[in-house]
């Protein structure tokens, strides 16, 4: 059996994505890419004036980086920090890969509130994080996706 090419850790802010990715990176000795880091060189840090074109360009960069790691024999590549709508379209971009999506969600909304409120930088919109978490739970699973309750 061949190694999985790509692992995507998805979910709302505060669901534990970065923590899980750090653990997987260590256990699997795998490259770990946060999409937000690819966005920063060319997008407003406050996300106040992003455009669909800029988002598409940043995602094209992510696809290039993932494919370049794979070309050089790294497996799996771990990515996170994608909006849920983008996660739903991964099959279009990565259909040629053996990939898995693990989407985290929290049952206890107070835990998300607590995690987001404790942040001193980055994503701090508690209401948006809660709405995103509810959406993840309510929507059907995407291709190659497994939803995981992270509480």
């Amino acid at each position: 059996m061949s190694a999985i090419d790509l692992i995507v850790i998805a979910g709302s802010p505060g669901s534990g994505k970065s923590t899980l990715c750090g653990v997987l990176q260590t256990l699997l000795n795998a490259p770990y890419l946060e999409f937000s880091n690819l966005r920063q060189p060319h997008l407003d840090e406050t996300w106040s004036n992003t455009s669909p074109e800029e988002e598409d360009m940043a995602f094209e960069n992510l696809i290039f980086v993932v494919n370049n790691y794979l070309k050089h024999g790294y497996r799996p590549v771990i990515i996170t920090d994608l909006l849920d709508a983008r996660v739903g379209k991964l099959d279009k971009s990565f259909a040629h890969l053996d990939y898995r999506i693990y989407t985290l969600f929290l049952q206890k909304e107070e835990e998300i509130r607590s995690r987001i409120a404790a942040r001193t930088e980055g994503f701090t919109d508690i209401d948006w994080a809660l709405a995103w978490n509810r959406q993840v739970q309510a929507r059907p699973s995407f291709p190659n996706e497994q939803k995981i309750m992270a509480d």
Side-chain angles (χ1 to χ4, degrees), residues 33-51:
L33 306 167
E34 287 199 24
F35 183 57
S36 60
N37 292 337
L38 292 174
R39 298 172 80 247
Q40 292 308 315
H42 63 279
L43 297 179
D44 180 359
E45 290 180 10
T46 65
W47 295 13
S48 64
N49 64 358
T50 62
S51 69

Side-chain angles (χ1 to χ4, degrees), residues 117-135:
R119 293 181 175 182
T120 57
E121 59 184 40
F123 188 91
T124 58
D125 187 332
I126 293 171
D127 292 332
W128 192 35
L130 292 171
W132 187 339
N133 188 65
R134 288 181 205 121
Q135 176 197 350

Side-chain angles (χ1 to χ4, degrees), residues 2-3 5 15-16 37 40 43-44 48 51 53-56 58 60-61 63 76-77 89-90 92 112 117 127 132 149:
S2 63
D5 297 316
S15 63
N37 292 337
Q40 292 308 315
L43 297 179
D44 180 359
S48 64
S51 69
E53 294 79 17
E54 288 177 314
E55 284 291 321
D56 288 344
E60 288 170 13
N61 290 341
I63 293 169
V77 176
K89 297 176 184 174
L90 287 176
K92 182 177 177 183
I112 289 179
D127 292 332
W132 187 339
M149 186 170 57

